[in-house]
Amino acid sequence: LSGEFTEDGMTVLVDISRPAGTNLDWHLMVLTEEEDVTEWEEPFETDREAFDEFLATVAREGIRSFFTDGDTPTIQ
């Protein structure tokens, strides 16, 4: 489910991962072309839950919410 996501002409990289060889929870991070990074503090039980939260954030706040002016946003 990780990869590039484009909306309104803006592209971000969605990174959903967990430590290799483990059954630990999944972590969600979004990176912009300008190297802005948004990380969720709370992990997810499945990679699908993480991706669904990303999509919900885009629907609620727009893809522009991942582009910052130097601050590193963290979503709880």
Side-chain angles (χ1 to χ4, degrees):
L1 298 172
S2 294
E4 290 186 353
F5 181 89
T6 302
E7 183 177 86
D8 296 332
M10 303 178 88
T11 301
V12 296
L13 177 64
V14 179
D15 181 33
I16 300 171
S17 62
R18 67 178 175 186
T22 71
N23 287 327
L24 297 175
D25 289 336
W26 295 85
H27 294 271
L28 173 59
M29 180 171 41
V30 177
L31 299 102
T32 70
E33 295 170 341
E34 287 80 24
E35 299 183 11
D36 298 314
V37 178
T38 304
E39 295 180 83
W40 275 251
E41 290 181 352
E42 296 298 320
F44 300 87
E45 288 187 28
T46 67
D47 57 346
R48 186 69 216 185
E49 286 179 11
F51 189 68
D52 288 345
E53 175 59 27
F54 165 74
L55 292 176
T57 300
V58 170
R60 184 176 56 248
E61 300 177 28
I63 197 164
R64 294 181 190 280
S65 66
F66 297 110
F67 292 80
T68 65
D69 294 327
D71 297 330
T72 302
T74 302
I75 299 175
Q76 297 186 29

